[in-house]
Amino acid sequence: MAPFTWNGELRYAGAVIKDLGDFSAIRSPAKCAARIGQAFSQAFSSVDIPREAFQSLPEIDRLDAHGIRRIFSDGVGTWAKGMISLDNRLQGDVLCLRPSMIKFEATSAQIEICGAGFKPLPFYLNRQLIKILEDLGVPKQSFLDLQNEAVEQLRITAENPINAGYYLQRNLVGKSARLPWLIRKLSYIGMSFSDDSFLRDTHELEFEFNNPLGIMDETDYLEEGQIYCSVQNEKTGMVLTGRVIITRCPALHPGDVQYVDAVDVPLQSPLRSIQNCVVFSSKGDRDLPSQLSGGDLDGDLYNIIYDDDLMPTHLSKPADYPAVPAIDIGREVIRSDMTDFFVQFMENDQLGRLSTLHQTLADQKPEGVFHPDCILLAEMCSTAVDFSKTGIPVDLTMMPKSSNVRPDFQAPGPRVLIEENIRLEEMDVPEEGEDEDEPEETAPALRYYRSEKVLGKLYRAIDEQDFFTEIQRQSRSPSNPQSTGLAEKVWEYVQNKAALIQYEHYLGFARDVKEAYEDNMIDTMLENSSHPTHFVSEVEVFAGALIGKDGAQSKRQREYSSSMKEKHDRDVAYTVHCILQGEEQDVSKVEALERSIACLDVAIHEPRTRARFGRLMSFTWVAAAVCLKEIEKFAR
């Protein structure tokens, strides 16, 4: 961390860490770095807790049949209000903590809230889980039907503004710019987002079960093998009941998927106050979260499947990997210890490589994820996941050998040659001692075969280029003609609704806001480019999704998309804040409306063409969304 000035004082990293708390009792560089990092987790709110509100709770644990200590309450406590885990039996302001929750002694009694069960979270089937479910007996056609349904829903959103708005809202596209609301508002006032090429392209770029937080039953009501899950959103709610599947990502071992009984609880039960969480039983020989890819209750998300078409015909015994103790250097950790570990981690992080090999072998072996090599790789991945906290890297000498042949769904793009007559059993596998890490220029070229497993069928069921071409053709049909005049129509609507509002004195302010926004946009376009002479498009930044030449995202593009979206969301939120509150922090409804009209006027009528980048369009729709919202407020 570079030194910075705070309240007139020059602040260094050491002083900042000291202010966070006392980390001197931690003897592992990896764990110390992880604990310090926790204090920098992104939080959307914080709560000051009086010291007298803190109470201690004992762990709920017991020894299993093999004498291993199982902690059922690992990472979870209770609170008399809000979330950690709501327990409405507590009186007053009380926060109950267990030993497994105390990572270090903090100097502040402020609780930062990183997430909560405000609403149900979507759950997406990934390749790892699809493969496990296939090998547990789920028919291939079930996945193909789900994919066809998702594709059809995406087609429908291109035709209907209301569906498009809700689709963008559900996928968090343009949320900070109020894009989902804007698309629905335009439809309400008789305009279509598809009449503007920028808005249409923003919608077309974004493509992609229940996913609750896990907590423990503090009431001791649930029996072993039971869960309680109440799903609530703004309009509807339901309590899951019956036999369901529960899992957690990443899932690699066939035992990471288990059946549980979802049950309701009595009307007077304190559990009734908990929504959008899965409550696990505190009874039994072994806690269920640890059986699901080594989960616990310190913020892990669990996946619940209640679709009858995805129910396995058989299950596997869950994995039970021995706990790996963190490296203990026998003294207090200093900064150089953590920087040395960071370099070691960058050199030895092999999780992606191991996961890809697991996916390859699971497709090639008749036993799928049950093959001994896949079982071994699942354990190695578990070690690799914990590397950042234990400091112990995975032993790569144990890694199974593989040939240079890969299934077609692992191909980097549609232009790769897929060989039809490859016989997997005849492929040469490197002998023991052969160097598999030889340079790319001398390593044998990768070959790809047509996979007949479900992932291959899902991959080939969609022609990405044809799919996106068809969506574009539909949205540009004569019934939705392309027009550059949608913004002018919005301006005419604003002029009609706010004819008496004087805003000209804010035009200078609006020019400054627009320039600052577009400067930030250009910075983001350049920062996230994969090539020094090129830049990502404004549409990609606004939608928060980097797209490859063939319509699909690479792994690197997915990673870049996340950080790019976070930065742009911050820039948009700041821009909206400036428009609403101005330079003097004026929250008057009339002043906010005047500033928003000025910004929309400047955006539409004072276009600026920038060298290399041309005319940027997104500020128009940021300003339009704010302006239409303020007009709606003003009319009330």
Side-chain angles (χ1 to χ4, degrees):
M1 183 193 82
F4 64 93
T5 302
W6 178 257
N7 291 334
E9 179 184 355
L10 191 61
R11 303 284 286 171
Y12 293 88
V16 172
I17 293 174
K18 185 177 180 181
D19 287 346
L20 295 175
D22 182 8
F23 300 91
S24 61
I26 303 175
R27 295 292 190 258
S28 167
K31 183 169 289 188
C32 187
R35 297 297 180 241
I36 294 173
Q38 283 182 311
F40 293 94
S41 300
Q42 184 175 3
F44 61 82
S45 183
S46 61
V47 180
D48 288 312
I49 306 296
R51 290 287 182 180
E52 60 271 16
F54 286 89
Q55 295 183 10
S56 297
L57 279 179
E59 298 286 6
I60 306 299
D61 60 358
R62 63 181 62 90
L63 298 179
D64 66 10
H66 304 286
I68 300 174
R69 182 186 180 224
R70 305 292 187 181
I71 303 178
F72 289 73
S73 56
D74 191 4
V76 67
T78 61
W79 203 357
K81 60 181 180 181
M83 289 286 292
I84 290 179
S85 170
L86 179 62
D87 188 347
N88 59 15
R89 299 171 300 178
L90 298 173
Q91 300 297 315
D93 294 341
V94 181
L95 175 62
C96 300
L97 304 179
R98 290 188 167 94
S100 59
M101 302 174 65
I102 300 174
K103 310 302 184 183
F104 59 90
E105 293 297 328
T107 57
S108 169
Q110 190 177 72
I111 300 297
E112 296 184 350
I113 302 173
C114 300
F118 294 132
K119 60 182 179 180
L121 300 176
F123 164 36
Y124 301 102
L125 292 173
N126 58 30
R127 287 180 174 180
Q128 298 166 339
L129 184 54
I130 289 173
K131 182 55 186 165
I132 290 176
L133 291 174
E134 178 190 26
D135 292 343
L136 293 178
V138 175
K140 293 181 177 66
Q141 192 59 43
S142 296
F143 300 105
L144 291 168
D145 290 344
L146 277 176
Q147 180 169 272
N148 291 337
E149 181 182 339
V151 169
E152 183 59 27
Q153 289 177 351
L154 186 54
R155 291 186 193 277
I156 292 173
T157 65
E159 303 169 357
N160 185 293
I162 303 300
N163 290 338
Y166 283 113
Y167 173 82
L168 296 176
Q169 180 175 322
R170 186 170 63 251
N171 289 278
L172 302 180
V173 180
K175 184 179 179 181
S176 58
R178 303 177 179 177
L179 182 59
W181 178 87
L182 174 64
I183 287 177
R184 294 196 295 270
K185 180 66 176 181
L186 290 175
S187 175
Y188 179 75
I189 62 179
M191 304 179 196
S192 174
F193 77 97
S194 61
D195 288 346
D196 181 81
S197 59
F198 181 84
L199 288 183
R200 184 177 58 239
D201 290 344
T202 298
H203 163 249
E204 289 170 0
L205 267 179
E206 182 63 23
F207 52 91
E208 295 258 306
F209 317 94
N210 193 2
N211 193 20
L213 290 160
I215 60 175
M216 188 192 71
D217 175 20
E218 301 282 351
T219 69
D220 210 32
Y221 176 83
L222 298 175
E223 298 295 333
E224 182 180 8
Q226 292 182 338
I227 64 166
Y228 171 74
C229 186
S230 174
V231 182
Q232 305 284 335
N233 58 26
E234 295 89 345
K235 297 180 180 179
T236 61
M238 62 179 288
V239 175
L240 297 183
T241 57
R243 200 181 192 201
V244 299
I245 285 293
I246 189 164
T247 183
R248 173 182 167 272
C249 292
L252 293 169
H253 190 280
D256 290 339
V257 173
Q258 294 295 320
Y259 272 120
V260 289
D261 291 320
V263 301
D264 202 348
V265 296
L267 291 176
Q268 69 275 16
S269 172
L271 298 183
R272 285 275 179 174
S273 302
I274 298 174
Q275 289 90 37
N276 303 320
C277 294
V278 54
V279 184
F280 292 98
S281 171
S282 61
K283 301 177 183 178
D285 198 43
R286 179 183 176 188
D287 61 300
L288 181 57
S290 71
Q291 301 177 49
L292 306 174
S293 191
D296 54 31
L297 303 177
D298 64 358
D300 288 4
L301 295 172
Y302 293 85
N303 307 320
I304 299 178
I305 302 174
Y306 42 91
D307 187 333
D308 291 339
D309 293 334
L310 295 179
M311 294 295 112
T313 59
H314 57 280
L315 294 180
S316 174
K317 184 178 179 181
D320 192 7
Y321 307 131
V324 179
I327 289 177
D328 187 340
I329 61 174
R331 57 172 173 79
E332 184 175 343
V333 175
I334 59 176
R335 184 171 62 178
S336 60
D337 296 324
M338 290 185 282
T339 54
D340 289 345
F341 168 71
F342 180 77
V343 174
Q344 181 193 12
F345 178 81
M346 297 297 291
E347 293 175 341
N348 294 278
D349 180 22
Q350 299 291 329
L351 181 58
R353 179 182 177 187
L354 294 169
S355 298
T356 300
L357 180 57
H358 179 277
Q359 191 178 99
T360 302
L361 296 182
D363 188 81
Q364 295 177 353
K365 304 296 184 181
E367 305 92 333
V369 295
F370 287 90
H371 190 276
D373 285 350
C374 292
I375 298 295
L376 172 60
L377 283 167
E379 182 173 3
M380 294 177 71
C381 284
S382 177
T383 302
V385 166
D386 292 338
F387 176 32
S388 62
K389 291 183 288 187
T390 65
I392 300 177
V394 67
D395 183 1
L396 293 181
T397 62
M398 300 170 57
M399 188 167 68
K401 306 296 181 181
S402 66
S403 66
N404 65 325
V405 177
R406 302 288 185 268
D408 54 355
F409 59 82
Q410 289 185 335
R415 296 186 176 88
V416 173
L417 174 65
I418 307 299
E419 301 182 42
E420 297 287 345
N421 300 314
I422 290 181
R423 297 177 62 86
L424 297 177
E425 63 274 14
E426 297 177 0
M427 290 296 99
D428 292 331
V429 176
E431 298 292 335
E432 193 70 33
E434 287 189 35
D435 185 9
E436 290 188 287
D437 295 322
E438 58 182 306
E440 289 186 9
E441 57 270 18
T442 60
L446 292 177
R447 301 168 61 191
Y448 295 91
Y449 63 89
R450 179 187 174 95
S451 169
E452 294 304 324
K453 304 292 178 63
V454 67
L455 291 177
K457 293 182 179 296
L458 290 170
Y459 173 77
R460 293 189 298 274
I462 295 181
D463 186 313
E464 293 169 346
Q465 291 175 311
D466 286 350
F467 175 70
F468 286 105
T469 299
E470 174 63 15
I471 285 184
Q472 291 174 341
R473 185 195 66 78
Q474 290 178 2
S475 64
R476 295 172 185 172
S477 63
S479 60
N480 292 302
Q482 181 171 350
S483 170
T484 57
L486 180 60
E488 283 291 352
K489 291 180 182 178
V490 172
W491 176 247
E492 292 174 6
Y493 175 86
V494 170
Q495 289 290 86
N496 181 53
K497 293 293 184 179
L500 300 180
I501 299 297
Q502 300 298 312
Y503 65 88
E504 289 79 4
H505 56 292
Y506 275 122
L507 288 175
F509 166 84
R511 294 182 188 106
D512 292 340
V513 172
K514 177 175 181 285
E515 183 174 8
Y517 172 87
E518 292 186 346
D519 286 345
N520 286 332
M521 170 62 76
I522 289 174
D523 286 345
T524 306
M525 292 164 67
L526 292 172
E527 288 172 4
N528 292 276
S529 172
S530 59
H531 194 279
T533 62
H534 301 143
F535 50 87
V536 302
S537 70
E538 183 185 17
V539 173
E540 288 174 293
V541 175
F542 197 68
L546 294 169
I547 303 300
K549 294 180 180 179
D550 302 304
Q553 285 183 315
S554 66
K555 178 182 178 183
R556 184 178 182 183
Q557 286 171 328
R558 286 194 297 272
E559 293 172 348
Y560 274 34
S561 292
S562 178
S563 59
M564 179 184 74
K565 184 177 186 300
E566 289 179 2
K567 179 185 182 301
H568 183 63
D569 283 350
R570 290 194 300 269
D571 292 340
V572 172
Y574 176 73
T575 300
V576 172
H577 175 83
C578 289
I579 297 173
L580 293 178
Q581 300 197 8
E583 296 173 321
E584 305 298 329
Q585 300 296 300
D586 184 352
V587 295
S588 163
K589 286 197 298 184
V590 175
E591 297 289 331
L593 177 56
E594 292 173 354
R595 284 189 292 268
S596 66
I597 296 176
C599 287
L600 184 59
D601 188 355
V602 169
I604 296 174
H605 301 127
E606 298 184 16
R608 177 184 175 187
T609 302
R610 296 176 180 245
R612 293 182 62 198
F613 304 97
R615 180 181 176 182
L616 301 180
M617 302 298 298
S618 59
F619 182 75
T620 298
W621 299 111
V622 172
V626 178
C627 189
L628 291 174
K629 190 69 174 180
E630 291 307 303
I631 286 178
E632 188 178 90
K633 293 178 183 177
F634 187 72
R636 290 172 185 170

